[in-house]
Every structure is written in C-alpha cells, then in structure tokens.
Amino acid sequence: MRKKKIISIIIFPGSNCDRDLMIAVEKNLGIKPDLIWHQTRNIKKTDLIFLPGGFSYGDYLRAGIIATKSPAISEVIRLSKKGTPIVGICNGFQILTECNLLEGALLKNSSQLFKCEDVFLKVVSKNKFTSGYKKNEVVSYPIAHSQGNYFVDDQKLKELEDNEQIIFKYTSKEGVINNSFNPNGSKNNIAGIVNKKKNVLGLMPHPERATDNFSSKDGKIFFKSIYEML
Amino acid sequence: MNEKITGKIIQDHNLTKSEYNLIKKILGRIPNILELGIFSVMWSEHCSYKSTKKWLKTLPTKSKKVICGPGENAGIIDIGGKDAIVFKMESHNHPSFIEPYQGAATGVGGIMRDVFTMGARPIANLNSLRFGDPKNRKTKNLLRGVVKGIGDYGNCVGIPTVGGECFFHESYNNNILVNAMCVGLVDKKKIFYSTAKGIGNPVIYVGSKTGRDGIHGATMASAEFTDDSTNNRPQVQVGDPFMEKLLLESCLELMSHDAIIAIQDMGAAGLTSSSFEMASKGNCGVKLFLEKVPCREESMTPYEMMLSETQERMLLIIKPNKKKLTFKVFKKWGLDAVEIGKLTNTGTMELYMKKKLVGSLPIKPLAESAPEYDRPSKKKNEVTTHKKIGKKNLKRTLIKILSSPNHSSKKWIFQQYDSSVMGDTILSSEKSDAAVIRVHGTQKAVAITCDCNPIYCKSNPKIGAEIAVAESWRNLISTGASPIAITDNLNFGNPEKKEIMYEIKQAIKGIKNACEKLDYPVVSGNVSLYNETNKISIMPTPVIGGVGLIEKLENAKGFKMIENANIFLVGKTKGHLELSLFHQMYNVTQGNPPKVDFQKESENGKFVKTLISKTKGVIGCHDLSEGGIGLCLAELCMSNNMGVKINIPKKFQSNPEKWIFGEDQSRYILIIEEKFDMKKFLNKVVDINKIGIVKGTCLEFTNYFEIPVKNLIKLSNKWFNEYLK
C-alpha cells in the first residue's frame, strides 16, 4: 500500500474556492487535505500545496499581491524551491505570478468585465500535472474571473514555448485556437503554465468545479493525474 | 445637541406634524435632535411599513413547512431532515439610481447579512432588475453599474448568483428597481434569532468602523425623488465585500460555539434599528456607551453614530462567559469587535456619550407604536379600450420579440456573475425556469425563481400579482420541485396618492388570494414605496421570489431536449392576446391580463410534478408565460441548439397568432422521451396534447413558417451586445 500522502490547501482571508477544492480532493484522491491558515509560519510536511481561488485580502491593490506578503506564502516559496508541487487555481495563479514563482502577469480581462462560463481547453503539453490527458486533448472547465488576461513579453513567451511550459490553452470544442475562443484576451490563448522546473502549475479555469455529475466531469482526470504524481 | 426643534427640522426628517405630536406624547416632553432623528428613521416607511402594515397582516404566512414567517431578518422553511432554507428579497432602488454600482452592491450585501445572521450559509443569490427605456440617456450607465455592483459583491463573497430577471420600460426611467434575493441553508437546530435576552449581557459591535455614510438612507428611501435627488449621493452607503466575507465566516464560526444569544445586522437605520428591534423583541432595555463605537472619522456625534448606515456591521448579544472566545474568533478574522453596551431591565434605550446621558427613549412604544395608516385609495378613472390588431407576419413578430431588449438573451448580464462557485449549482440562468441548487452534502435540491410582469400589474394589479405568484409557482414545478413558500418585494409609487394606494391594496389582495389557493405562504418580504420622480410613478411591480424542494436531485429538469422526443402541451389554450408580447410588439398596450383559474393551475401543476418525479418520461420542461408557445419553443431550441417541428391545431388554423403567442395561464411544454407511453397518464382533468417533435435544425411551425435555430441564437444575442458595445 502507498504511504498516506499529505495535501495542503492554503486559506487566505477572502479565499472562496477552498471548500470546493477540499471536496474535489477528498472525493477524487481519497485524501482529506490539511487546511493551512495564511498566518502559518511553518508548514512541516506536505506532498503538494494548493492555492485556491477567491479574492485573497479582497484583491485590494491588485489581485493576489497582498497574499504574497503572508507568512504562509514564504513557506510556499521555500518548499517550491525544494521541489514540492504547487498548484494555484484562479486567484492562486494570480498569487503565483505575483510572487514570481511563475512567469508573466494576469491583467484585467480585455472586456474589462468579470466572466463566468464553461470554456474548452486544449492540453498543449503533457507533464506530471496532466498525465491522465492525451496530448492536445480538449477538455471543459468553467472560468470565473475578472483578471485572467495572461500577459508575458515575447522573449519570455518563446522560452515558455521552447521549454514546453504552456499547459492549457483556450480553444473551441473542435480544438481551434484563435481569438474568437479567447475569453479574456490572454496572450496566445494561454490558460495555464508551469515554471521551468515544472513543479509549480498555475491555471485560471477551475478543475475543481468540473468533477460532478451535473457539470463537466473533465476535472476528475486532472485530480487523478495529481494523485498519480504524489 | 441642544439644537431647537423647528418646523423645518421636523420636515427635513420626513415626519408629519401629527407624528411629531405623537412623539411628544410618548416622551412626555420635547425630543432633542438625536431622539428626533431616531424616531424619524424608526418611523420611516422603510423601517415601519406604516402605509402597508394593515394590508400585509392579511397575507397567509403559515404552513406545515414554515419555521419562521415575517418579522425576523428572513423567513425560514423546512426542507426535511436537518435542513432548513432561509430566504428573503429586499430592494435597494433609491440608492441604486443615485449611485448604481454601490447601491446595487450594498443591496446584495444587506440581503446576504439578513440570511447569515440567522445562522445560515448563503447558497444562492438572485436579482430582479427594472431599468428605464434603453434609449433614455441614463439607462446604459445604470445597467452597467448595477450589474457590475451585483457581480463584484457576490463574486467576491463567493456566493453564486444563479438567476433573476431584467426588464426595461420607460416608467422606470428615473426610478430603477434593484431587488436582491438571497437563499441560505441552515441546520434546523442551529437557527439564530434577534430577541435580546439576559439583563446585564454584553452588547457587542463587530465589523466595519462607523462612518458618516448612509445617514438618513432609510428616510431617503421613503420619499419621492426630484431632479435634485442625485445630491443625495452621500446618503448612499459604500460596500466592502471582503469585509462581508470576513463577517460571514467569523459569525458562522462563532455560531458553532454556542456563544450568541441574539444577533442582528445593522442594515437600514443602522445601530438604531438593530438595537431597538432586538431589545423590543426581548422586552428589555439597553445602555449604549457611544464613545466605544468604532468610528472611521473623528468627532462623530451621537446623532451620526446612531443614524449611520455604514455597511458590514453586526450587533450581537452574547453569553457573558463567552466574551473572551468571541473576541478571539473575531480577532482571527481581523475584525474590530467591541463591547458597546449592556442589556438592562428598564425598557429604555439609554444613550451615553462620555458618561453623559444624551438620549433616553422608551423602546416598546418607539419600535411597536409606529403609526399605522389606512390611507385612502381609489381606482384610477380610466377606460380600458380593447383593440384588435390585424393580421401580422408571424415569423417577423417572433424575430421582433427575440430582438427586443426584454426578451433577448441576458448572457451579457449573467456571465458577469459567478454562478458555479460552491459547486452545488445544477441549473442556472437560461437553462431552466428556476435555478436549481443542490442542498450541500445531500441528494436533495432547492429550486429558486423570481418573477413579475408589471405590464399585467399596471392594467390590473390584483390579477397581475396573482399571475406573479402563479408564474413563480409554475417555474418551480417545471424543474420538478414542490413549491413551498415565497418572499415578496412590493415596489410602488407614492402611497399618499389614492390611485397608488389602490394598486398596493389590490396587489396584496392578489398575492393573498394566489398564496391561499396554492398553499404557498409568504415568509418574508420588503416594501419599497415612493418610487416616483417629478410625480411620475413606476408601474406597480410586486416581485415574487419562490422556493421549492426537489426531493431527488436526479429528477431536476431544465430546458433539455433530445432528438425525436415528443413535445406535449399541458393546459388549455384559448389565445389570450391582450397585453401579450404580440400586442406590445405592435404598440397596443391596453386591455386585460389573462385570468388565472387556480383550480386548473393546481391540477396542471400537480400533473406535471408527478410526471417528472414519478416517471422517467420527462426530458425537459418549460412553463408558458410571456410570448406564449412561440417564445417558449424558441428558448428551448436555442438552449439545445436543436430544431422542432410543430403542428398548429386545426381549431387555430385561421388565427394561428392566438395559438402561437396567446398568454393563457397554467400551461407547460413537456419534452417527452420518444418511447414513453403518455396514454397511461392522460386524464379528464388535465388538457394535454402532443404538438410536435424535436427534429432538424429549425424552429418550424409546419405550413406556417420556420427559422433556423442558429439564426435564433444570433438574433437573441444581438441586442445586448450592440447596446453595450
């Protein structure tokens, strides 16, 4: 039998997808996650850390920026350097770019409006986080954000491409990637990326909201892949 | 503090001479300005319901499933097991017109606090919006601001916004309506009420610091607008959804510790109404030490502190031995919590500022002896003309309806709302007649809707209100739910005018009749009057929010269709066209609304509900309302991107417009599994007829006209996108 693995979810004041994520982890991985309060100065042992969606610290100043000053994030940074897998979803992705664990920045949606809808994503590179999907498979997760417009300069973009760091791109159901299937103006339709070491993943769409019978079930494979990588 | 009370001051506080005399009689002396201010907000229309109380009392409020009816922060119904649902709708009309973003946001915040104050976790928000003519120069900005305000607030707190309505009409040009509804889930054994108890118990203030915002908001909401009303901007409160989220989580955490005796949010009339209402319900007195109230600004006066409507604040009475725990929980969430007073046995509100008594008011007479008026009413002298319109191109009419602001897709609005957070949203906007939300951790679901057709209400407020109730009931039925209870949000003009008072009384009569006939009681509600500017009133708009229970999640139905399924029409079609969309499209706006036969309503509803919950035959369901069969089928086609072939019955072949666009009540469209044998379920009581099948890529009325579904979708998405480009 596998040794019991520890999954942690960091909770900031203003996080609001922590419960959804906790349920998705419990249901799909059979692991009850440790809930880590933002003021925790010492995360002892963990096999993977999630940063959930929401509006940490009310998204004041800029989405995700204040969270980077919290004690728990210092721990996240420390552990990420040691190779611990980190997954940031939505506001979690915003925090990861703000604390420079991931390249680029998440700007206001090009429409300037919050957008909630089911979108299609293409799994453009496979790695540990997406091992359950086929390369270029099209999956459906919901999005719900007002600052998901991914920006990175051209030189960095090339690096991301060359290192296969781009994981998810917004697409049509048939797999066409162009501007009409870009919900927020993200550069090259980018929806999710990893760092160079490929142990930190950030994505705007919500896999935890795509694991139920009445929604898309495509998120289940995301969590299954995570289970496999532990 | 010793300002002399002049006639002008009394008038500025929106009090009449006789009300002022009553104040003097209650006190046995002349009030000081602080006391006068407190009376004025407590006796404002908004807080006291003085023009409507007499009539609201007649509404049915009880049933086997009602746990708590009107009078508390929100109504509560039993949904079986350990679960209960808390819900209410409330208006924020006046502030939203003056400052749309903050007005709408704080409306959402206020109604959520009403719900979580009772121990419930909010699980869904809905909203019912009315704007002026889209061509009016103000409308576009109001629409943008209101929608963004609602979205930003609910999205940040993390409560899904799952449905609602949006309607444009020139009568709302200078008085938009923003009605927000919140639904929460509570453990039946852990409901919190607002009755203060226990002499000597501490009064705790928690949440935002008090500022000068919103002073006299409740009074503003109780007066007509003039052109200068935008000068009231400082009376509009400013919302902070992050603070609300912290309050929500901290209050729910504290509630799990058995520390709270009573709790109430500081909504309209802030510290005044919360402290008076809690004390009045518990028959006790209160001593408040105002210098302890956390203030945002320097040198705030007792008058300002008592009347401020700063948002995101709560007042709690806690067990004395849980004080330490209380402060610890609030500190964890980074909130200001302060003991600002104590309960006494005097029955008096004693307000101290730095040890000096600055106000002393008897609580019961003030809270409960608010004036109650039986205002005169009279039907407007108007002759209803019954105009017929000649033959019209049916296809063009349907296209006209779908391209109209009121009936085109509201995607632009609802995509700005997070509808899937919390992971329990099964069906939301434009996928079903009512939103369907799973009861967390169970296999049950609740269905939620809000409705009103003001065009019907304008012509006949009683029937219009009956239809609003019936329509909400039907919306719940068509998702497979058993309707349980409603909340009502009554929006009208100035009740001091006889014609408006007539509308109010008639509408309440209509609600009463419909609720009694359908065993569908009113458990909470809100009244918004004085929706007038420069003497022009809004159309009567009694919005009904309904809640029902779906016992088994898998039975929840939306607008789903599958190829080759049969399409049945339930209910009798006579072809009522007066006040229909068909007439409106040709600018005929006179006539009578269709009548509701509650016997039929009930029979048809029960038939549909049984068919959905007891058989596997029903794939989808949509009730018929505005736009009749034509619009209903168009919506089904668009929702599935599939076509239908429909046969118009022989009886209507010479006047197909009556069949396609008639708005007769108590009807449903059912999408039935191809192989399902409907014959077994036919009975003599319910009219049920097969009208077509799901097939192809067009909405086709065979031998009349057809429109490709992809064109319907394009047309339906056009108006909002072009208007807001």
Side-chain angles (χ1 to χ4, degrees):
Chain A
M1 222 179 89
R2 287 161 61 126
K3 218 181 119 203
K4 191 93 178 144
K5 299 290 180 180
I6 300 171
I7 289 189
S8 309
I9 299 176
I10 313 271
I11 300 180
F12 303 96
S15 294
N16 63 27
C17 301
D18 44 329
R19 188 185 80 169
D20 304 355
L21 191 54
M22 188 179 84
I23 291 167
V25 167
E26 271 191 73
K27 221 167 53 184
N28 293 289
L29 281 71
I31 297 170
K32 201 174 161 58
D34 286 358
L35 304 179
I36 311 273
W37 189 236
H38 67 121
Q39 279 162 334
T40 305
R41 292 183 184 279
N42 186 4
I43 301 175
K44 282 195 186 92
K45 198 180 169 317
T46 188
D47 296 297
L48 184 137
I49 299 173
F50 277 110
L51 305 183
F55 290 72
S56 55
Y57 306 91
D59 271 1
Y60 289 140
L61 297 180
R62 202 162 69 214
I65 181 84
I66 301 179
T68 64
K69 309 293 173 207
S70 69
I73 281 295
S74 313
E75 284 293 277
V76 170
I77 294 171
R78 179 181 68 84
L79 290 164
S80 76
K81 307 278 186 227
K82 288 169 70 180
T84 304
I86 316 282
V87 179
I89 300 169
C90 198
N91 192 228
F93 186 12
Q94 293 161 341
I95 296 168
L96 289 173
T97 58
E98 287 292 352
C99 66
N100 295 321
L101 286 181
L102 290 173
E103 294 289 355
L106 291 147
L107 313 178
K108 265 201 157 180
N109 293 351
S110 51
S111 65
Q112 304 297 307
L113 301 173
F114 188 95
K115 191 156 203 186
C116 174
E117 64 173 340
D118 288 335
V119 295
F120 291 102
L121 301 169
K122 192 183 258 188
V123 186
V124 289
S125 316
K126 273 186 66 161
N127 76 1
K128 297 182 289 188
F129 293 108
T130 54
S131 61
Y133 296 117
K134 292 190 271 296
K135 189 171 172 172
N136 289 329
E137 186 171 341
V138 174
V139 299
S140 172
Y141 301 167
I143 54 164
H145 58 247
S146 60
Q147 295 177 53
N149 177 358
Y150 183 74
F151 176 80
V152 69
D153 66 41
D154 289 341
Q155 192 197 333
K156 290 265 168 58
L157 178 68
K158 191 166 180 311
E159 283 175 34
L160 290 178
E161 277 167 351
D162 292 349
N163 297 331
E164 296 196 315
Q165 283 172 255
I166 300 166
I167 307 298
F168 296 109
K169 282 188 176 183
Y170 301 108
T171 169
S172 74
K173 195 177 178 182
E174 292 75 28
V176 177
I177 295 173
N178 67 30
N179 219 9
S180 8
F181 305 104
N182 187 340
N184 52 25
S186 288
K187 196 144 190 176
N188 283 19
N189 286 40
I190 291 173
I193 56 163
V194 288
N195 62 345
K196 222 176 224 167
K197 270 170 69 184
K198 301 192 177 170
N199 67 320
V200 179
L201 168 71
L203 72 165
M204 285 314 293
H206 289 273
E208 79 279 16
R209 297 188 195 179
T211 62
D212 225 315
N213 290 334
F214 47 78
S215 60
S216 155
K217 296 175 195 63
D218 294 348
K220 285 186 173 194
I221 294 167
F222 177 83
F223 287 97
K224 204 171 154 244
S225 310
I226 288 201
Y227 185 77
E228 293 302 324
M229 73 184 281
L230 294 176
Chain B
M1 270 332 274
N2 295 321
E3 203 173 334
K4 198 170 173 293
I5 306 297
T6 61
K8 179 164 187 315
I9 290 180
I10 295 167
Q11 205 186 350
D12 285 348
H13 282 78
N14 244 332
L15 287 163
T16 65
K17 218 170 184 168
S18 65
E19 285 169 349
Y20 181 64
N21 288 336
L22 184 60
I23 292 171
K24 284 196 292 192
K25 206 175 134 200
I26 288 172
L27 291 180
R29 61 179 165 85
I30 291 172
N32 65 29
I33 183 88
L34 167 64
E35 292 165 336
L36 186 81
I38 290 174
F39 268 104
S40 80
V41 290
M42 288 298 288
W43 285 6
S44 68
E45 189 68 56
H46 190 81
C47 293
S48 74
Y49 299 95
K50 58 190 169 193
S51 303
T52 52
K53 214 178 347 178
K54 184 178 162 69
W55 309 105
L56 293 173
K57 279 182 203 160
T58 65
L59 292 172
T61 58
K62 291 191 178 88
S63 80
K64 268 188 223 150
K65 303 235 166 100
V66 175
I67 296 176
C68 171
E72 269 292 339
N73 283 301
I76 309 182
I77 53 171
D78 190 340
I79 55 160
K82 65 176 181 50
D83 305 311
I85 289 290
V86 181
F87 69 103
K88 190 183 179 183
M89 190 174 348
E90 201 161 76
S91 61
H92 232 209
N93 304 336
H94 296 77
S96 300
F97 180 72
I98 295 172
E99 214 298 291
Y101 180 84
Q102 292 296 348
T106 51
V108 174
I111 195 66
M112 284 200 278
R113 280 195 302 287
D114 279 338
V115 165
F116 73 74
T117 300
M118 305 202 75
R121 181 172 282 280
I123 58 171
N125 283 326
L126 287 87
N127 52 76
S128 172
L129 311 177
R130 302 282 183 291
F131 295 98
D133 183 340
K135 290 193 201 84
N136 184 284
R137 66 188 171 89
K138 290 176 186 158
T139 301
K140 200 178 286 186
N141 278 336
L142 289 169
L143 171 68
R144 278 203 177 107
V146 164
V147 171
K148 191 160 167 39
I150 291 172
D152 283 0
Y153 205 100
N155 297 347
C156 179
V157 180
I159 312 301
T161 302
V162 294
E165 31 168 21
C166 174
F167 180 85
F168 300 88
H169 187 275
E170 59 181 6
S171 89
Y172 305 102
N173 274 357
N174 291 306
N175 287 89
I176 62 170
L177 302 184
V178 175
N179 294 178
M181 177 172 172
C182 180
V183 178
L185 175 65
V186 68
D187 183 332
K188 254 184 254 175
K189 291 202 184 92
K190 291 180 186 155
I191 297 170
F192 287 81
Y193 294 100
S194 57
T195 307
K197 272 185 227 144
I199 307 308
N201 281 346
V203 179
I204 307 283
Y205 168 116
V206 64
S208 292
K209 287 184 170 61
T210 298
R212 290 192 168 101
D213 46 338
I215 291 176
H216 275 305
T219 322
M220 171 184 79
S222 308
E224 276 182 47
F225 273 169
T226 60
D227 284 335
D228 300 330
S229 291
T230 38
N231 296 339
N232 286 335
R233 201 164 281 137
Q235 288 180 13
V236 179
Q237 313 86 328
V238 176
D240 179 354
F242 176 55
M243 181 61 86
E244 177 103 341
K245 171 74 173 165
L246 302 178
L247 259 187
L248 163 68
E249 296 302 336
S250 59
C251 286
L252 291 182
E253 186 173 329
L254 189 60
M255 282 163 173
S256 68
H257 287 300
D258 189 33
I260 299 173
I261 294 168
I263 176 166
Q264 171 128 357
D265 96 284
M266 296 188 221
L271 188 51
T272 294
S273 71
S274 54
S275 56
F276 273 91
E277 280 169 23
M278 287 168 95
S280 170
K281 280 180 191 157
N283 295 313
C284 46
V286 183
K287 249 185 205 172
L288 290 183
F289 309 104
L290 295 174
E291 72 279 2
K292 293 191 177 165
V293 171
C295 286
R296 195 188 296 152
E297 294 166 68
E298 271 179 34
S299 61
M300 281 184 64
T301 64
Y303 180 93
E304 289 167 331
M305 288 180 201
M306 288 305 289
L307 267 54
S308 161
E309 290 193 0
T310 295
Q311 297 289 291
E312 292 94 18
R313 300 178 301 163
M314 289 279 194
L315 202 62
L316 291 79
I317 312 296
I318 56 155
K319 294 182 178 167
N321 59 347
K322 295 285 168 82
K323 229 156 73 172
K324 223 171 133 186
L325 171 83
T326 302
F327 290 127
K328 198 181 138 199
V329 169
F330 287 129
K331 195 174 169 213
K332 173 188 160 190
W333 291 96
L335 293 174
D336 278 322
V338 185
E339 182 178 342
I340 60 162
K342 288 213 181 305
L343 295 186
T344 66
N345 61 359
T346 58
T348 307
M349 175 71 65
E350 296 164 89
L351 303 171
Y352 287 89
M353 183 74 175
K354 296 177 181 158
K355 292 188 181 155
K356 195 180 153 213
L357 185 69
V358 292
S360 174
L361 295 161
I363 287 168
K364 273 271 165 188
L366 200 148
E368 288 176 8
S369 320
E372 180 179 314
Y373 296 129
D374 182 359
R375 297 194 190 275
S377 65
K378 201 180 117 217
K379 193 175 174 193
K380 204 182 276 174
N381 256 339
E382 236 179 24
V383 186
T384 310
T385 55
H386 302 274
K387 214 169 133 187
K388 285 222 165 70
I389 54 175
K391 285 283 160 205
K392 295 288 172 194
N393 183 310
L394 300 173
K395 180 174 169 175
R396 228 175 287 149
T397 309
L398 185 59
I399 287 173
K400 238 175 137 153
I401 291 174
L402 281 173
S403 330
S404 71
N406 287 337
H407 299 280
S408 55
S409 169
K410 305 290 187 299
K411 209 190 237 175
W412 182 87
I413 297 178
F414 69 75
Q415 281 193 339
Q416 294 187 54
Y417 305 148
D418 190 339
S419 55
S420 54
V421 65
M422 292 184 88
D424 289 317
T425 305
I426 296 164
L427 294 163
S428 60
S429 309
E430 297 188 2
K431 289 181 195 146
S432 54
D433 282 321
V436 175
I437 309 295
R438 174 172 56 193
V439 177
H440 192 68
T442 73
Q443 289 304 306
K444 293 183 287 195
V446 286
I448 316 161
T449 181
C450 52
D451 292 284
C452 179
N453 180 339
I455 303 278
Y456 292 165
C457 295
K458 174 83 191 153
S459 153
N460 186 326
K462 178 165 179 276
I463 295 180
E466 283 177 348
I467 290 177
V469 176
E471 163 81 10
S472 80
W473 195 80
R474 224 177 290 143
N475 283 343
L476 300 178
I477 292 273
S478 58
T479 62
S482 312
I484 299 179
I486 64 164
T487 178
D488 58 359
N489 201 143
L490 309 177
N491 308 277
F492 293 89
N494 180 349
E496 293 161 43
K497 291 182 186 161
K498 289 179 187 163
E499 291 79 13
I500 301 291
M501 199 57 221
Y502 175 82
E503 292 177 349
I504 298 171
K505 279 164 70 173
Q506 287 297 108
I508 294 176
K509 262 188 199 161
I511 294 172
K512 175 179 187 291
N513 185 41
C515 289
E516 281 172 354
K517 296 271 169 61
L518 296 170
D519 187 20
Y520 191 35
V522 184
V523 296
S524 58
N526 172 247
V527 179
S528 170
L529 304 179
Y530 299 94
N531 290 292
E532 296 202 14
T533 299
N534 297 336
K535 312 290 170 207
I536 298 172
S537 163
I538 60 160
M539 290 194 284
T541 316
V543 179
I544 304 297
V547 178
L549 173 69
I550 299 172
E551 292 89 351
K552 277 191 200 147
L553 199 57
E554 71 260 27
N555 289 338
K557 294 288 173 258
F559 294 163
K560 195 176 163 193
M561 303 201 294
I562 55 171
E563 188 85 0
N564 296 322
N566 290 317
I567 303 171
F568 282 85
L569 171 64
V570 177
K572 201 173 173 76
T573 303
K574 289 179 192 155
H576 185 101
L577 283 179
E578 281 189 357
L579 298 183
S580 69
L581 286 186
F582 182 75
H583 271 201
Q584 287 173 47
M585 289 302 131
Y586 299 101
N587 299 321
V588 177
T589 53
Q590 287 259 325
N592 294 323
K595 285 210 170 83
V596 190
D597 175 343
F598 283 99
Q599 176 80 23
K600 281 273 163 244
E601 188 71 63
S602 180
E603 285 163 2
N604 295 356
K606 276 175 193 149
F607 173 80
V608 171
K609 159 81 177 122
T610 308
L611 206 63
I612 292 175
S613 53
K614 297 277 181 329
T615 75
K616 297 266 175 255
V618 183
I619 290 157
C621 182
H622 194 341
D623 84 307
L624 290 178
S625 55
E626 290 150 68
I629 294 172
L631 182 58
C632 172
L633 288 170
E635 285 171 354
L636 285 166
C637 288
M638 291 188 288
S639 181
N640 292 279
N641 199 2
M642 281 176 152
V644 296
K645 289 187 195 298
I646 303 297
N647 294 307
I648 297 178
K650 273 208 185 88
K651 212 176 111 188
F652 286 98
Q653 283 177 357
S654 59
N655 42 15
E657 69 281 359
K658 281 191 155 194
W659 193 78
I660 296 177
F661 294 110
E663 296 187 3
D664 309 282
Q665 296 294 297
S666 320
R667 299 182 302 157
Y668 302 81
I669 294 279
L670 289 172
I671 309 298
I672 300 288
E673 169 81 39
E674 187 188 355
K675 296 205 176 73
F676 182 76
D677 184 10
M678 198 65 161
K679 280 198 203 91
K680 278 195 286 189
F681 296 90
L682 300 182
N683 62 45
K684 289 213 177 77
V685 184
V686 175
D687 259 284
I688 174 157
N689 293 293
K690 183 177 162 181
I691 57 167
I693 57 166
V694 180
K695 197 140 199 85
T697 55
C698 290
L699 167 58
E700 175 188 316
F701 289 93
T702 308
N703 299 330
Y704 290 85
F705 70 93
E706 60 175 59
I707 313 175
V709 175
K710 65 174 198 301
N711 294 5
L712 291 176
I713 295 173
K714 232 183 253 166
L715 283 166
S716 174
N717 284 325
K718 203 168 132 190
W719 189 83
F720 267 88
N721 286 337
E722 284 183 359
Y723 185 60
L724 293 148
K725 210 163 21 195

